[in-house]
Amino acid sequence: MVNRTRLLGVARACEFLARGIVAAGALSGCTYGFVIDDNGDTVGGATVKFDTLKTSESYKGATTFGTASESVKTWNKDDPNSGGHNGLYYLNPNAHKATGDNTALNVPAGWQRVTVSKSGYDSAIFYRDHQYSQSCDIYSSLPYADAKYPVTSATSVSSGGKTPCSLENFTLSSSSTNYEKLPDMLADPRSLTDTQIATGSDCKYKDDNAVERQFTKCLRVSVGTPNVGAGDLHLLGELDSGGHAVNVRQRIYKRNSGYSEKSIPANFTFEDAAGHHHFHFKNWTKLRLRKYDASCPTQGWTNCPELKTGRKVSFCIEDIYTFESSIATGKKYACDTTTGAGGTTQISQGISVGMQDVYGKSVYGQVVDIAGLASGKYWLEVEVNPEHFMTERDYSNNLARVTVTIP
Ligand SMILES: [Zn+2]
């Protein structure tokens, strides 16, 4: 678990460390953060590599990346140039990797895959919607001057101003401990671009009380929910004599052996609508539509209010497509019920590491109300595990947004 007190200290480091930077455009800036271990201690000498997700790709294939990635190491406490900033990495678009090297260390805004590794620790993959939503002070001198790190100032800088910046912290677990391998769900931004305007019976859905309703006009949307964590997401329950799911829980596997189970205040309900006929995990995702304003990803969402109350959607959770092939081991979980010991009917659903579940736009109930909305651009937003009933390694990537145009 992340040490929260330690992270507060990390957040405050921004102002002190964002030196030597000229003002950058809204879509780029400095990227920095700490790598810490499960005890909250900083990890020096870790490699942090950013790859930009191709959001235009089909969600039905595994993610692929171009060659333009940025890689940097965290400072080591033994380095005389670290200034005491053990475990910090720093990507500055206005500095150079080394004298004479004009490569800007710029991470584009938008979805990034971040691979973090260091010997003695299990490598980990994180997906983050990377936005330059913070503002850091510009100082007139660099805090460090060693070519092993991104250090050489490309331009003279003036002090007293502000520059956009983005903080991303990452946690690594030691390979020598039997740690809990937590899952990490995200909403695949690639899937949200697969939408369709519909009316009439194509806009049917069930409300929170399982009563069938219908929007007069709707946006049908595909939603993929990958697991990029250290371990499987595994949800279990048993059926009582009335056919209702009881004892709903999450099983968390440990690195070497064993597992723990945690009851969760969520439920499975039987969904009998066309194309379903199976148990759904309730409130798996939440769909929202917001007013469009280009400034919201960096300036906050006050100017982009929700236009329709977000709607919860249930899924029968299983492995459908590979999402992250570097960690996936193939399909393991299917949407079914099995008979266990003593004739008890068991519900067992999940998403294994690197795989994703997908509910396509043509599936009953995958709809967002757009009745009465003017033509134009909107933010479509999907959040997975919106109530945090399930324990995850990282909740900062549960929400994905794309722009949609309503004709
Ligand atoms: Zn279903």
Side-chain angles (χ1 to χ4, degrees):
M1 283 290 129
V2 171
N3 181 322
R4 290 175 191 283
T5 310
R6 193 74 61 99
L7 283 184
L8 284 175
V10 169
R12 279 197 297 272
C14 172
E15 200 170 12
F16 176 65
L17 291 158
R19 304 176 179 190
I21 303 165
V22 294
L27 292 179
S28 68
C30 81
T31 297
Y32 72 103
F34 279 79
V35 176
I36 59 172
D37 65 17
D38 283 328
N39 298 318
D41 294 324
T42 55
V43 178
T47 300
V48 181
K49 180 167 171 277
F50 285 77
D51 291 291
T52 304
L53 182 65
K54 295 175 184 170
T55 47
S56 58
E57 280 187 328
S58 169
Y59 60 90
K60 295 175 182 174
T63 56
T64 63
F65 302 89
T67 52
S69 62
E70 294 292 1
S71 180
V72 70
K73 279 195 167 186
T74 58
W75 270 302
N76 195 306
K77 67 182 189 312
D78 301 322
D79 190 316
N81 296 302
S82 73
H85 304 304
N86 189 45
L88 178 89
Y89 75 91
Y90 192 51
L91 289 152
N92 179 350
N94 298 296
H96 293 168
K97 284 176 180 169
T99 306
D101 179 353
N102 290 320
T103 311
L105 291 163
N106 188 27
V107 177
W111 280 89
Q112 297 285 328
R113 176 183 70 179
V114 190
T115 310
V116 184
S117 54
K118 152 118 196 193
S119 70
Y121 294 83
D122 288 346
S123 292
I125 284 170
F126 302 82
Y127 278 78
R128 298 277 173 88
D129 186 6
H130 189 72
Q131 298 294 341
Y132 292 96
S133 55
Q134 295 179 304
S135 182
C136 297
D137 285 345
I138 296 171
Y139 287 82
S140 57
S141 62
L142 289 165
Y144 40 87
D146 183 325
K148 284 188 289 184
Y149 303 99
V151 291
T152 311
S153 179
T155 48
S156 61
V157 294
S158 56
S159 61
K162 293 274 186 184
T163 187
C165 58
S166 178
L167 169 68
E168 304 279 2
N169 294 317
F170 305 104
T171 304
L172 284 182
S173 296
S174 167
S175 308
S176 60
T177 60
N178 192 26
Y179 65 89
E180 289 192 324
K181 296 194 296 178
L182 295 178
D184 181 11
M185 278 81 77
L186 57 120
D188 185 352
R190 306 175 307 168
S191 65
L192 305 185
T193 60
D194 183 28
T195 59
Q196 176 196 346
I197 307 289
T199 56
S201 61
D202 282 346
C203 294
K204 282 183 179 173
Y205 68 100
K206 287 194 178 164
D207 69 13
D208 289 348
N209 300 312
V211 176
E212 184 167 81
R213 298 184 184 281
Q214 183 177 317
F215 298 127
T216 56
K217 190 180 180 190
C218 67
L219 187 70
R220 305 182 90 185
V221 55
S222 296
V223 177
T225 50
N227 171 14
V228 295
D232 293 355
L233 173 76
H234 193 181
L235 303 169
L236 299 116
E238 278 108 40
L239 294 192
D240 67 13
S241 55
H244 300 289
V246 293
N247 192 23
V248 176
R249 61 204 191 273
Q250 178 182 3
R251 182 174 291 178
I252 297 168
Y253 295 92
K254 296 183 177 177
R255 183 188 190 275
N256 302 326
S257 59
Y259 60 79
S260 62
E261 288 189 344
K262 185 187 93 153
S263 60
I264 50 178
N267 212 344
F268 292 98
T269 55
F270 193 76
E271 175 56 77
D272 60 357
H276 292 271
H277 301 292
H278 45 223
F279 277 90
H280 273 195
F281 185 81
K282 284 189 80 178
N283 305 346
W284 176 246
T285 60
K286 197 165 186 183
L287 298 167
R288 304 182 191 96
L289 199 71
R290 291 182 180 273
K291 182 178 177 231
Y292 177 78
D293 188 293
S295 72
C296 289
T298 52
Q299 304 296 310
W301 291 84
T302 315
N303 290 335
C304 300
E306 264 185 62
L307 297 173
K308 304 280 186 178
T309 307
R311 207 172 69 71
K312 294 165 186 169
V313 183
S314 304
F315 272 42
C316 187
I317 298 164
E318 62 179 332
D319 291 330
I320 303 270
Y321 299 120
T322 297
F323 178 78
E324 173 56 66
S325 50
S326 71
I327 52 174
T329 54
K331 291 187 184 185
K332 189 190 288 183
Y333 298 96
C335 168
D336 58 13
T337 51
T338 56
T339 302
T344 313
T345 302
Q346 297 270 351
I347 301 174
S348 173
Q349 300 186 3
I351 303 175
S352 62
V353 167
M355 300 296 287
Q356 73 167 320
D357 193 4
V358 172
Y359 262 42
K361 67 185 174 197
S362 59
V363 172
Y364 175 101
Q366 285 289 111
V367 294
V368 181
D369 183 14
I370 57 166
L373 293 181
S375 303
K377 210 175 188 182
Y378 296 86
W379 289 109
L380 171 65
E381 185 175 284
V382 178
E383 186 173 11
V384 65
N385 191 15
E387 283 136 331
H388 294 190
F389 286 155
M390 290 156 281
T391 301
E392 297 186 47
R393 185 185 59 186
D394 183 359
Y395 297 97
S396 69
N397 55 12
N398 286 31
L399 199 147
R401 298 182 181 99
V402 297
T403 55
V404 289
T405 301
I406 294 175

